[in-house]
């Protein structure tokens, strides 16, 4: 199993450009998450999904959009990139059931710079 | 909403010294998890604690879950340079609910 994979690893954007960060997991997990981590800071939840076709906002959703058309894929879309979106973006997944724990498996991250 | 707080935010130690990070929740938790993120890496699951007062060890790492299931600690004995990184705690309020991550403690170890 590859686990959680993310592409690209690095990206530099100009202000106002758009891009999609890709995330794929092969563990058949129902939950998927997008976090951002600013330098020296903790993880902030952007969006999450409880299954295909269902997404919900986290604590910092502004400027981002997501979709979940399949169990495996959870792309994050940045529209009109701004310098404040310079960060490391982590995708994570978990197999969360009513009686289970939410152990999350993280991808390697995408390091995004907006200039 | 549920909050999980960690202290300290940063800790610098000399190699061989001990290190402890503390995690406190505003609500009772069903379980708490600990993750480690190496510099330039991604968070990796270390361990999960479920029972009140539970203590688990992984080599030089000792994890505790408080009796009230609202706090936890991670203690590293005789730190090594390989311990460098950020340690996150994450709490789950009830089974089936999402994890809430603390802000992390960034550990540096001077050789």
């Amino acid at each position: 199993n590859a686990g959680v994979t993310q592409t690209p690893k690095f990206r530099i954007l100009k202000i106002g450009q758009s891009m999609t960060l890709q995330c794929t997991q092969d563990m058949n997990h129902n939950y998927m998450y997008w976090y951002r981590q600013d330098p020296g800071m903790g993880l902030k939840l952007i969006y999450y999904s409880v299954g295909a076709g269902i997404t919900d906002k986290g604590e910092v959703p502004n400027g981002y959009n997501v979709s979940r058309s399949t169990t495996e894929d959870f792309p994050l879309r940045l529209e009109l990139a701004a310098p404040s979106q310079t960060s490391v973006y982590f995708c994570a997944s978990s197999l969360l059931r009513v009686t289970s724990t939410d152990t999350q498996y993280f991808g390697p991250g995408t390091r995004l710079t907006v200039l | 909403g549920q909050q999980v707080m960690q202290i300290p935010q940063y800790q610098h130690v000399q190699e061989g010294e001990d290190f402890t990070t503390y995690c406190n929740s505003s609500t009772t938790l069903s379980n708490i998890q600990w993750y480690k993120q190496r510099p330039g890496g991604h968070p990796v699951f270390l361990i999960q604690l479920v029972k009140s007062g539970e203590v688990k060890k992984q080599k030089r790492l000792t994890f505790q879950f408080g009796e009230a299931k609202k706090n936890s600690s991670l203690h590293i004995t005789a730190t090594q340079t390989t311990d460098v990184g950020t340690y996150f705690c994450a709490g789950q309020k009830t089974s089936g609910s999402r994890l809430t991550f603390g802000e992390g403690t960034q550990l540096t170890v001077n050789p």
Side-chain angles (χ1 to χ4, degrees), chain A residues 17-59:
Chain A
Q17 286 185 320
S18 300
M19 78 165 292
T20 298
L21 282 67
Q22 302 292 344
C23 175
T24 301
Q25 55 93 7
D26 63 358
M27 298 175 282
N28 203 30
H29 286 173
N30 54 342
Y31 272 65
M32 294 187 75
Y33 310 84
W34 275 106
Y35 295 91
R36 61 175 286 172
Q37 185 178 35
D38 297 335
M41 305 298 284
L43 302 164
K44 293 196 185 308
L45 183 65
I46 307 171
Y47 271 95
Y48 69 98
S49 168
V50 305
I54 307 170
T55 62
D56 208 347
K57 295 178 181 178
E59 55 181 309

Side-chain angles (χ1 to χ4, degrees), chain A residues 31 33 94 96 100-104, chain B residues 33 35 92 97-99:
Chain A
Y31 272 65
Y33 310 84
S94 69
L96 183 56
S100 73
T101 58
D102 185 24
T103 301
Q104 296 188 14
Chain B
Q33 299 177 28
Y35 291 74
Q92 199 169 348
S97 66
R98 289 183 296 109
L99 276 183

Side-chain angles (χ1 to χ4, degrees), chain A:
Chain A
N1 284 354
V4 180
T5 56
Q6 291 183 239
T7 57
K9 285 188 169 55
F10 304 92
R11 185 72 186 268
I12 297 175
L13 282 182
K14 293 182 179 178
I15 294 171
Q17 286 185 320
S18 300
M19 78 165 292
T20 298
L21 282 67
Q22 302 292 344
C23 175
T24 301
Q25 55 93 7
D26 63 358
M27 298 175 282
N28 203 30
H29 286 173
N30 54 342
Y31 272 65
M32 294 187 75
Y33 310 84
W34 275 106
Y35 295 91
R36 61 175 286 172
Q37 185 178 35
D38 297 335
M41 305 298 284
L43 302 164
K44 293 196 185 308
L45 183 65
I46 307 171
Y47 271 95
Y48 69 98
S49 168
V50 305
I54 307 170
T55 62
D56 208 347
K57 295 178 181 178
E59 55 181 309
V60 290
N62 291 345
Y64 307 94
N65 277 300
V66 293
S67 60
R68 184 99 180 267
S69 56
T70 67
T71 300
E72 295 78 19
D73 300 305
F74 191 39
L76 177 72
R77 177 84 179 159
L78 276 73
E79 304 282 1
L80 299 175
S84 60
Q85 293 179 305
T86 294
S87 191
V88 180
Y89 291 84
F90 290 105
C91 178
S93 71
S94 69
L95 185 63
L96 183 56
R97 303 290 187 207
V98 171
T99 57
S100 73
T101 58
D102 185 24
T103 301
Q104 296 188 14
Y105 297 84
F106 285 79
T110 294
R111 282 148 183 80
L112 176 67
T113 303
V114 181
L115 301 173

Side-chain angles (χ1 to χ4, degrees), chain B residues 20-45:
Chain B
T20 304
T21 174
Y22 301 91
C23 184
N24 291 288
S25 170
S26 56
T27 59
T28 302
L29 300 169
S30 72
N31 69 85
I32 197 154
Q33 299 177 28
W34 286 90
Y35 291 74
K36 177 181 178 181
Q37 182 182 26
R38 295 182 188 274
H42 58 278
V44 174
F45 172 76

